[in-house]
Amino acid sequence: MKPLGINHYLEAAKRSAEWHKNYISQMKKCRFDTISVHGIYSMQEALDFNQGSIIEPIYMSTSQSYRDSDEMEAALSYQIPTWCYSRIANPTIYYLEGVLALLETYGSDVDASCIATSSGMAAIQTAVDPFLLPDPKNPSKPINFVATTKVYGGTFQQFAIRKNEERHIEWRKVINSNDINEWENLIDENTRFLYGEMPSNPGQAFFNLKKVIELGNKYGIPVIIDSTVATPALMRPLALGADIVVQSVSKTLLTSGLGIAGAVIAKKNLTSNIDNPEMKADFCMYSKQLPNRDNGPNLSPMHAILALNDIRTLRSRVDLQSRSTMTVAKFLSEHKHIEKVEYLGLESHPLHKIASDYLWLVDSEYDEQYGKKINRYGHLMSFNVKGGAQAARNVFDAMQRIWRATDLGRIKSVATIPAISTHSQQGEEGRKLADIPPNLIRLCVGAEHPDDIIADLDQALSVLDGKKVIFTSPEYSAGGASSATLRK
Ligand SMILES: *Cc1c(COP(=O)(O)O)cnc(C)c1O
């Protein structure tokens, strides 16, 4: 058989790239819900490559086979699209990356790409590490990054221990993130990026992102935003001018709770003071082909399809759960055993106004129910129980419908006490910085009817009136004798 020659493959790749680019620009014109449902998986791709399968197929295969050595050579030098090895690329993961890139840039003409990772923490590492390089002309000069302290517990540890303590990369801490002068005073020529989480988990810190983006532009450094709590259904930092968004896909995006996943979504041609044109041109493609190929924090295709599946209903879920959370927050704020309720949706919240500038339910103006732009604030809230740490634990222990777990973003309501769970590792001092008192309960409201969540909270809070809550448990699982746990 005569070889087709490498040019045959290169030209086919060029034609395909053109086709896919066109298809994606067609999809970009659709509404948010349509993009969520279809992503970048097309009928053409289904019919030509996937036996017409209307759902994105799950490619569990580790690698792809090539027609001949020419095709292999072109693929392994990244000259043609390839699923050479699933640590680097995989079709199912590619569909997830495609939909997230479109959703995070929805309603804007920003061109972005995405790389999926095995977890949100891996996404943060993927997003920040390529910037944390010394100055080649002066390698001993210390470098730093400027980041808010009100961040997820794992992020706090990654920054404080893995970067600051172990690698001597200074974390310059923004304590009051809504004070733009504080950010600016920390920046110098060795600052590699600005990082913030908004709204933060669990404190719901919020800041004026547009001003932080202006600072990034002024100093030529990227702005990286962890937008997990908002999801693209409420806020899209890239469209506002941020360079990189990280998502813990494990949370509201993969709401069914069937796996851990993360994603980095970066705009093309981002700003950085690192001299690496390839990285700046397409950060996610660069990460895929180089650093993450070498470090290996890749996602499993199984988790990619689970995430894709949940993302299809993102907007309506976030709307429903935001409304329920508002109802629950209002109930709690009037309860006699509650010291304080923190929910950005409450007018009493000090950051309500600024949050209202940023958190909008996408496409509500095209929703026949609303017909105009409306604010929604997500399903994360927290409350402080009167009477201190023990009172909070008593209430927590009495919950019967709301699950006690260190989890967030679920279709089921979940509560945790951050001081003894997500934020236990960082110690008293770290918790003070992150503003996590011991009587704080974080609640993430699910898609149950809010009346039932309120009823559960009401009975749990009644323990503080001396009412005893009896948590009964069956002696056998409904699943049968094999899973029985007979209690003494
Ligand atoms: C959970 C979480 C992370 C970490 O994500 P994993 O998928 O658990 O690794 C990062 N940021 C925020 C805001 C989170 O809630």
Side-chain angles (χ1 to χ4, degrees):
M1 195 183 80
K2 205 166 151 273
L4 296 164
I6 197 162
N7 279 335
H8 167 82
Y9 295 114
L10 297 183
E11 270 152 35
K14 222 184 275 165
R15 285 191 301 272
S16 310
E18 199 55 38
W19 190 91
H20 287 286
K21 208 174 126 198
N22 257 324
Y23 186 79
I24 287 172
S25 61
Q26 291 304 312
M27 277 317 292
K28 225 174 152 54
K29 293 183 191 144
C30 293
R31 297 265 189 255
F32 192 90
D33 282 342
T34 312
I35 296 170
S36 306
V37 169
H38 287 266
I40 59 165
Y41 182 62
S42 60
M43 269 185 216
Q44 291 83 343
E45 199 157 342
L47 293 166
D48 289 348
F49 303 104
N50 295 310
Q51 310 206 39
S53 169
I54 70 165
I55 301 300
E56 297 85 342
I58 313 165
Y59 282 95
M60 294 297 280
S61 177
T62 46
S63 54
Q64 176 191 11
S65 165
Y66 299 105
R67 292 173 179 85
D68 59 21
S69 58
D70 284 329
E71 191 183 27
M72 181 185 259
E73 187 180 11
L76 276 291
S77 55
Y78 300 137
Q79 294 185 79
I80 60 173
T82 175
W83 326 116
C84 51
Y85 189 56
S86 198
R87 166 155 47 75
I88 303 160
N90 170 287
T92 310
I93 294 170
Y94 173 76
Y95 299 136
L96 173 64
E97 293 168 339
V99 72
L100 288 175
L102 281 179
L103 294 181
E104 289 287 357
T105 55
Y106 181 72
S108 76
D109 53 11
V110 175
D111 191 11
S113 57
C114 170
I115 179 171
T117 57
S118 55
S119 69
M121 292 321 303
I124 293 168
Q125 186 178 24
T126 299
V128 304
D129 270 11
F131 299 109
L132 295 177
L133 300 175
D135 179 352
K137 290 188 212 94
N138 192 354
S140 59
K141 199 158 77 176
I143 60 167
N144 69 75
F145 59 96
V146 171
T148 56
T149 48
K150 288 183 183 127
V151 289
Y152 174 69
T155 310
F156 195 99
Q157 293 301 102
Q158 188 180 117
F159 287 177
I161 312 291
R162 306 305 147 207
K163 314 290 188 229
N164 204 327
E165 214 174 292
E166 291 181 352
R167 288 167 60 190
H168 308 291
I169 299 164
E170 188 189 354
W171 173 9
R172 296 199 171 161
K173 298 188 177 73
V174 181
I175 313 279
N176 177 10
S177 59
N178 209 19
D179 177 1
I180 196 69
N181 294 324
E182 205 181 310
W183 289 83
E184 184 156 22
N185 291 338
L186 296 171
I187 301 173
D188 66 18
E189 74 276 13
N190 303 313
T191 302
R192 290 289 185 258
F193 58 81
L194 307 177
Y195 184 101
E197 188 176 306
M198 111 181 204
S200 71
N201 165 16
Q204 299 168 81
F206 215 91
F207 50 84
N208 195 333
L209 178 57
K210 285 177 194 151
K211 288 229 170 94
V212 173
I213 290 167
E214 277 168 24
L215 282 184
N217 290 338
K218 180 170 167 190
Y219 292 93
I221 47 178
V223 173
I224 305 174
I225 300 296
D226 182 336
S227 177
T228 298
V229 171
T231 82
L234 299 182
M235 185 177 79
R236 291 167 302 288
L238 296 183
L240 300 172
D243 296 271
I244 300 183
V245 163
V246 292
Q247 284 287 348
S248 168
V249 175
S250 328
K251 308 292 168 50
T252 307
L253 295 174
L254 217 168
T255 191
S256 54
L258 293 170
I260 299 292
V264 175
I265 304 94
K267 76 173 181 199
K268 308 264 179 83
N269 302 311
L270 52 71
T271 315
S272 166
N273 53 12
I274 301 278
D275 182 24
N276 184 343
E278 212 183 336
M279 173 188 79
K280 289 194 257 195
D282 188 344
F283 183 86
C284 293
M285 185 55 86
Y286 168 82
S287 299
K288 202 181 255 294
Q289 295 182 341
L290 297 162
N292 280 23
R293 174 197 69 184
D294 303 338
N295 292 323
N298 63 302
L299 185 64
S300 147
M302 192 66 212
H303 287 128
I305 196 79
L306 291 167
L308 267 170
N309 213 37
D310 283 356
I311 287 168
R312 298 190 214 281
T313 53
L314 180 67
R315 195 187 74 96
S316 45
R317 266 196 292 117
V318 168
D319 183 22
L320 172 73
Q321 284 169 287
S322 299
R323 284 186 281 131
S324 297
T325 310
M326 184 70 105
T327 309
V328 171
K330 281 184 178 153
F331 162 78
L332 285 172
S333 48
E334 282 158 16
H335 200 285
K336 63 177 179 187
H337 291 307
I338 300 294
E339 183 182 285
K340 187 167 87 172
V341 176
E342 296 236 6
Y343 183 52
L344 289 169
L346 293 177
E347 275 169 34
S348 59
H349 194 291
L351 298 171
H352 174 75
K353 252 185 98 110
I354 175 100
S356 304
D357 287 343
Y358 287 94
L359 299 175
W360 299 96
L361 178 66
V362 65
D363 282 353
S364 57
E365 65 270 41
Y366 308 116
D367 191 317
E368 61 171 339
Q369 201 184 153
Y370 302 121
K372 60 177 193 298
K373 275 172 78 82
I374 52 164
N375 288 114
R376 287 287 180 259
Y377 302 89
H379 61 147
L380 171 69
M381 60 166 295
S382 64
F383 55 95
N384 301 43
V385 178
K386 276 185 196 162
Q390 192 54 50
R393 286 172 91 125
N394 293 346
V395 171
F396 185 69
D397 292 346
M399 292 174 181
Q400 304 216 27
R401 181 76 54 225
I402 300 164
W403 299 80
R404 284 173 286 278
T406 55
D407 209 347
L408 176 73
R410 294 295 142 253
I411 195 84
K412 299 181 175 188
S413 291
V414 173
T416 190
I417 300 180
I420 56 167
S421 58
T422 52
H423 290 69
S424 65
Q425 285 164 33
Q426 66 201 61
E428 194 78 33
E429 203 47 44
R431 278 195 294 277
K432 216 172 265 167
L433 281 175
D435 200 11
I436 311 287
N439 65 335
L440 177 89
I441 295 181
R442 182 185 79 186
L443 172 64
C444 196
V445 178
E448 305 94 340
H449 197 285
D451 288 354
D452 293 316
I453 298 311
I454 286 173
D456 192 35
L457 288 165
D458 199 31
Q459 67 79 27
L461 284 159
S462 72
V463 293
L464 301 179
D465 297 325
K467 191 165 163 263
K468 204 168 166 209
V469 174
I470 299 162
F471 193 85
T472 61
S473 191
E475 284 167 322
Y476 291 95
S477 152
S482 62
S483 57
T485 48
L486 198 53
R487 287 166 3 125
K488 292 196 189 81

PDB file of all heavy atoms in Angstrom, residues 119-122 124 152 155 197 199 201 226 228-229 248-251 260-262 408, ligand 1:
ATOM      1  N   SER A 119      -9.395  17.570  39.291  1.00  0.00           N
ATOM      2  CA  SER A 119     -10.073  18.173  40.442  1.00  0.00           C
ATOM      3  C   SER A 119      -9.971  19.683  40.332  1.00  0.00           C
ATOM      4  O   SER A 119      -9.196  20.201  39.506  1.00  0.00           O
ATOM      5  CB  SER A 119      -9.412  17.718  41.754  1.00  0.00           C
ATOM      6  OG  SER A 119      -8.118  18.283  41.853  1.00  0.00           O
ATOM      7  N   GLY A 120     -10.706  20.373  41.190  1.00  0.00           N
ATOM      8  CA  GLY A 120     -10.586  21.826  41.253  1.00  0.00           C
ATOM      9  C   GLY A 120      -9.196  22.244  41.707  1.00  0.00           C
ATOM     10  O   GLY A 120      -8.637  23.216  41.213  1.00  0.00           O
ATOM     11  N   MET A 121      -8.633  21.504  42.664  1.00  0.00           N
ATOM     12  CA  MET A 121      -7.289  21.848  43.132  1.00  0.00           C
ATOM     13  C   MET A 121      -6.269  21.706  42.007  1.00  0.00           C
ATOM     14  O   MET A 121      -5.361  22.525  41.877  1.00  0.00           O
ATOM     15  CB  MET A 121      -6.880  20.972  44.327  1.00  0.00           C
ATOM     16  CG  MET A 121      -7.664  21.216  45.618  1.00  0.00           C
ATOM     17  SD  MET A 121      -8.057  22.939  45.991  1.00  0.00           S
ATOM     18  CE  MET A 121      -6.428  23.668  46.014  1.00  0.00           C
ATOM     19  N   ALA A 122      -6.424  20.650  41.200  1.00  0.00           N
ATOM     20  CA  ALA A 122      -5.523  20.474  40.053  1.00  0.00           C
ATOM     21  C   ALA A 122      -5.716  21.605  39.056  1.00  0.00           C
ATOM     22  O   ALA A 122      -4.765  22.051  38.401  1.00  0.00           O
ATOM     23  CB  ALA A 122      -5.768  19.123  39.384  1.00  0.00           C
ATOM     24  N   ILE A 124      -6.486  24.692  39.856  1.00  0.00           N
ATOM     25  CA  ILE A 124      -5.803  25.873  40.401  1.00  0.00           C
ATOM     26  C   ILE A 124      -4.295  25.762  40.148  1.00  0.00           C
ATOM     27  O   ILE A 124      -3.650  26.697  39.689  1.00  0.00           O
ATOM     28  CB  ILE A 124      -6.152  26.052  41.895  1.00  0.00           C
ATOM     29  CG1 ILE A 124      -7.643  26.404  42.022  1.00  0.00           C
ATOM     30  CG2 ILE A 124      -5.285  27.137  42.533  1.00  0.00           C
ATOM     31  CD1 ILE A 124      -8.199  26.341  43.427  1.00  0.00           C
ATOM     32  N   TYR A 152     -11.245  29.072  49.318  1.00  0.00           N
ATOM     33  CA  TYR A 152     -11.501  27.684  49.684  1.00  0.00           C
ATOM     34  C   TYR A 152     -10.322  27.146  50.514  1.00  0.00           C
ATOM     35  O   TYR A 152      -9.164  27.507  50.260  1.00  0.00           O
ATOM     36  CB  TYR A 152     -11.687  26.883  48.387  1.00  0.00           C
ATOM     37  CG  TYR A 152     -11.817  25.407  48.574  1.00  0.00           C
ATOM     38  CD1 TYR A 152     -12.945  24.866  49.173  1.00  0.00           C
ATOM     39  CD2 TYR A 152     -10.815  24.549  48.134  1.00  0.00           C
ATOM     40  CE1 TYR A 152     -13.062  23.498  49.342  1.00  0.00           C
ATOM     41  CE2 TYR A 152     -10.937  23.180  48.296  1.00  0.00           C
ATOM     42  CZ  TYR A 152     -12.060  22.663  48.905  1.00  0.00           C
ATOM     43  OH  TYR A 152     -12.168  21.315  49.058  1.00  0.00           O
ATOM     44  N   THR A 155      -7.389  25.743  48.649  1.00  0.00           N
ATOM     45  CA  THR A 155      -6.629  26.790  47.965  1.00  0.00           C
ATOM     46  C   THR A 155      -5.700  27.479  48.958  1.00  0.00           C
ATOM     47  O   THR A 155      -4.541  27.758  48.656  1.00  0.00           O
ATOM     48  CB  THR A 155      -7.604  27.822  47.353  1.00  0.00           C
ATOM     49  OG1 THR A 155      -8.587  27.115  46.605  1.00  0.00           O
ATOM     50  CG2 THR A 155      -6.881  28.803  46.465  1.00  0.00           C
ATOM     51  N   GLU A 197     -11.199  34.660  44.657  1.00  0.00           N
ATOM     52  CA  GLU A 197     -12.325  33.723  44.591  1.00  0.00           C
ATOM     53  C   GLU A 197     -13.570  34.562  44.844  1.00  0.00           C
ATOM     54  O   GLU A 197     -13.634  35.288  45.831  1.00  0.00           O
ATOM     55  CB  GLU A 197     -12.129  32.687  45.693  1.00  0.00           C
ATOM     56  CG  GLU A 197     -13.104  31.538  45.646  1.00  0.00           C
ATOM     57  CD  GLU A 197     -12.765  30.512  46.742  1.00  0.00           C
ATOM     58  OE1 GLU A 197     -11.625  30.034  46.805  1.00  0.00           O
ATOM     59  OE2 GLU A 197     -13.661  30.205  47.538  1.00  0.00           O
ATOM     60  N   PRO A 199     -18.082  34.534  44.290  1.00  0.00           N
ATOM     61  CA  PRO A 199     -18.110  34.664  45.744  1.00  0.00           C
ATOM     62  C   PRO A 199     -17.228  33.568  46.371  1.00  0.00           C
ATOM     63  O   PRO A 199     -17.094  32.492  45.790  1.00  0.00           O
ATOM     64  CB  PRO A 199     -19.574  34.418  46.108  1.00  0.00           C
ATOM     65  CG  PRO A 199     -20.350  34.486  44.836  1.00  0.00           C
ATOM     66  CD  PRO A 199     -19.396  34.156  43.738  1.00  0.00           C
ATOM     67  N   ASN A 201     -15.945  30.696  49.080  1.00  0.00           N
ATOM     68  CA  ASN A 201     -16.511  29.564  49.810  1.00  0.00           C
ATOM     69  C   ASN A 201     -15.764  29.420  51.121  1.00  0.00           C
ATOM     70  O   ASN A 201     -14.569  29.185  51.096  1.00  0.00           O
ATOM     71  CB  ASN A 201     -16.350  28.310  48.937  1.00  0.00           C
ATOM     72  CG  ASN A 201     -16.569  27.024  49.708  1.00  0.00           C
ATOM     73  OD1 ASN A 201     -17.118  27.009  50.796  1.00  0.00           O
ATOM     74  ND2 ASN A 201     -16.128  25.926  49.141  1.00  0.00           N
ATOM     75  N   ASP A 226     -11.418  32.231  40.674  1.00  0.00           N
ATOM     76  CA  ASP A 226     -12.123  30.990  40.983  1.00  0.00           C
ATOM     77  C   ASP A 226     -13.603  31.346  41.072  1.00  0.00           C
ATOM     78  O   ASP A 226     -14.050  32.028  41.981  1.00  0.00           O
ATOM     79  CB  ASP A 226     -11.619  30.419  42.317  1.00  0.00           C
ATOM     80  CG  ASP A 226     -12.284  29.090  42.672  1.00  0.00           C
ATOM     81  OD1 ASP A 226     -13.401  28.826  42.177  1.00  0.00           O
ATOM     82  OD2 ASP A 226     -11.701  28.323  43.471  1.00  0.00           O
ATOM     83  N   THR A 228     -16.197  29.147  40.991  1.00  0.00           N
ATOM     84  CA  THR A 228     -16.930  27.907  41.262  1.00  0.00           C
ATOM     85  C   THR A 228     -18.325  28.161  41.828  1.00  0.00           C
ATOM     86  O   THR A 228     -19.296  27.526  41.422  1.00  0.00           O
ATOM     87  CB  THR A 228     -16.125  27.053  42.281  1.00  0.00           C
ATOM     88  OG1 THR A 228     -14.884  26.717  41.696  1.00  0.00           O
ATOM     89  CG2 THR A 228     -16.866  25.790  42.677  1.00  0.00           C
ATOM     90  N   VAL A 229     -18.409  29.090  42.781  1.00  0.00           N
ATOM     91  CA  VAL A 229     -19.678  29.297  43.479  1.00  0.00           C
ATOM     92  C   VAL A 229     -20.712  29.950  42.548  1.00  0.00           C
ATOM     93  O   VAL A 229     -21.893  29.634  42.605  1.00  0.00           O
ATOM     94  CB  VAL A 229     -19.447  30.123  44.769  1.00  0.00           C
ATOM     95  CG1 VAL A 229     -20.767  30.534  45.405  1.00  0.00           C
ATOM     96  CG2 VAL A 229     -18.605  29.317  45.763  1.00  0.00           C
ATOM     97  N   SER A 248     -14.082  24.449  40.132  1.00  0.00           N
ATOM     98  CA  SER A 248     -14.157  23.123  40.707  1.00  0.00           C
ATOM     99  C   SER A 248     -15.433  22.535  40.112  1.00  0.00           C
ATOM    100  O   SER A 248     -16.531  22.791  40.591  1.00  0.00           O
ATOM    101  CB  SER A 248     -14.237  23.181  42.232  1.00  0.00           C
ATOM    102  OG  SER A 248     -14.583  21.905  42.711  1.00  0.00           O
ATOM    103  N   VAL A 249     -15.261  21.788  39.039  1.00  0.00           N
ATOM    104  CA  VAL A 249     -16.415  21.197  38.336  1.00  0.00           C
ATOM    105  C   VAL A 249     -17.171  20.255  39.271  1.00  0.00           C
ATOM    106  O   VAL A 249     -18.373  20.026  39.123  1.00  0.00           O
ATOM    107  CB  VAL A 249     -15.939  20.474  37.048  1.00  0.00           C
ATOM    108  CG1 VAL A 249     -17.079  19.746  36.344  1.00  0.00           C
ATOM    109  CG2 VAL A 249     -15.280  21.459  36.098  1.00  0.00           C
ATOM    110  N   SER A 250     -16.463  19.760  40.285  1.00  0.00           N
ATOM    111  CA  SER A 250     -17.066  18.853  41.276  1.00  0.00           C
ATOM    112  C   SER A 250     -18.305  19.427  41.958  1.00  0.00           C
ATOM    113  O   SER A 250     -19.084  18.671  42.528  1.00  0.00           O
ATOM    114  CB  SER A 250     -16.074  18.533  42.398  1.00  0.00           C
ATOM    115  OG  SER A 250     -14.759  18.519  41.970  1.00  0.00           O
ATOM    116  N   LYS A 251     -18.484  20.728  41.927  1.00  0.00           N
ATOM    117  CA  LYS A 251     -19.534  21.352  42.734  1.00  0.00           C
ATOM    118  C   LYS A 251     -20.834  21.509  41.936  1.00  0.00           C
ATOM    119  O   LYS A 251     -21.415  20.522  41.539  1.00  0.00           O
ATOM    120  CB  LYS A 251     -19.025  22.686  43.286  1.00  0.00           C
ATOM    121  CG  LYS A 251     -17.680  22.581  44.013  1.00  0.00           C
ATOM    122  CD  LYS A 251     -17.789  21.792  45.301  1.00  0.00           C
ATOM    123  CE  LYS A 251     -16.429  21.427  45.886  1.00  0.00           C
ATOM    124  NZ  LYS A 251     -15.477  22.506  46.010  1.00  0.00           N
ATOM    125  N   ILE A 260     -15.288  13.888  41.094  1.00  0.00           N
ATOM    126  CA  ILE A 260     -14.469  15.082  41.273  1.00  0.00           C
ATOM    127  C   ILE A 260     -13.892  15.479  39.910  1.00  0.00           C
ATOM    128  O   ILE A 260     -13.433  14.611  39.159  1.00  0.00           O
ATOM    129  CB  ILE A 260     -13.312  14.771  42.261  1.00  0.00           C
ATOM    130  CG1 ILE A 260     -13.845  14.363  43.636  1.00  0.00           C
ATOM    131  CG2 ILE A 260     -12.335  15.934  42.377  1.00  0.00           C
ATOM    132  CD1 ILE A 260     -14.532  15.441  44.403  1.00  0.00           C
ATOM    133  N   ALA A 261     -13.935  16.764  39.630  1.00  0.00           N
ATOM    134  CA  ALA A 261     -13.395  17.254  38.358  1.00  0.00           C
ATOM    135  C   ALA A 261     -13.099  18.742  38.467  1.00  0.00           C
ATOM    136  O   ALA A 261     -13.657  19.429  39.318  1.00  0.00           O
ATOM    137  CB  ALA A 261     -14.395  17.014  37.220  1.00  0.00           C
ATOM    138  N   GLY A 262     -12.233  19.211  37.613  1.00  0.00           N
ATOM    139  CA  GLY A 262     -11.917  20.641  37.592  1.00  0.00           C
ATOM    140  C   GLY A 262     -11.714  21.116  36.173  1.00  0.00           C
ATOM    141  O   GLY A 262     -11.654  20.307  35.236  1.00  0.00           O
ATOM    142  N   LEU A 408     -20.541  20.658  48.555  1.00  0.00           N
ATOM    143  CA  LEU A 408     -21.094  21.924  48.086  1.00  0.00           C
ATOM    144  C   LEU A 408     -21.609  21.715  46.665  1.00  0.00           C
ATOM    145  O   LEU A 408     -21.056  20.919  45.930  1.00  0.00           O
ATOM    146  CB  LEU A 408     -19.931  22.937  48.090  1.00  0.00           C
ATOM    147  CG  LEU A 408     -20.134  24.328  47.571  1.00  0.00           C
ATOM    148  CD1 LEU A 408     -20.965  25.112  48.551  1.00  0.00           C
ATOM    149  CD2 LEU A 408     -18.786  25.001  47.425  1.00  0.00           C
TER     150      LEU A 408
HETATM  151  C1  LIG B   1     -14.186  22.670  46.247  1.00  0.00           C
HETATM  152  C2  LIG B   1     -13.540  23.898  45.772  1.00  0.00           C
HETATM  153  C3  LIG B   1     -12.273  23.864  45.186  1.00  0.00           C
HETATM  154  C4  LIG B   1     -11.492  22.587  45.042  1.00  0.00           C
HETATM  155  O1  LIG B   1     -12.118  21.729  44.138  1.00  0.00           O
HETATM  156  P1  LIG B   1     -11.985  20.117  44.180  1.00  0.00           P
HETATM  157  O2  LIG B   1     -12.721  19.704  42.955  1.00  0.00           O
HETATM  158  O3  LIG B   1     -12.596  19.666  45.442  1.00  0.00           O
HETATM  159  O4  LIG B   1     -10.530  19.817  44.123  1.00  0.00           O
HETATM  160  C5  LIG B   1     -11.735  25.051  44.737  1.00  0.00           C
HETATM  161  N1  LIG B   1     -12.402  26.212  44.867  1.00  0.00           N
HETATM  162  C6  LIG B   1     -13.626  26.277  45.427  1.00  0.00           C
HETATM  163  C7  LIG B   1     -14.314  27.584  45.529  1.00  0.00           C
HETATM  164  C8  LIG B   1     -14.234  25.126  45.899  1.00  0.00           C
HETATM  165  O5  LIG B   1     -15.443  25.201  46.460  1.00  0.00           O
END
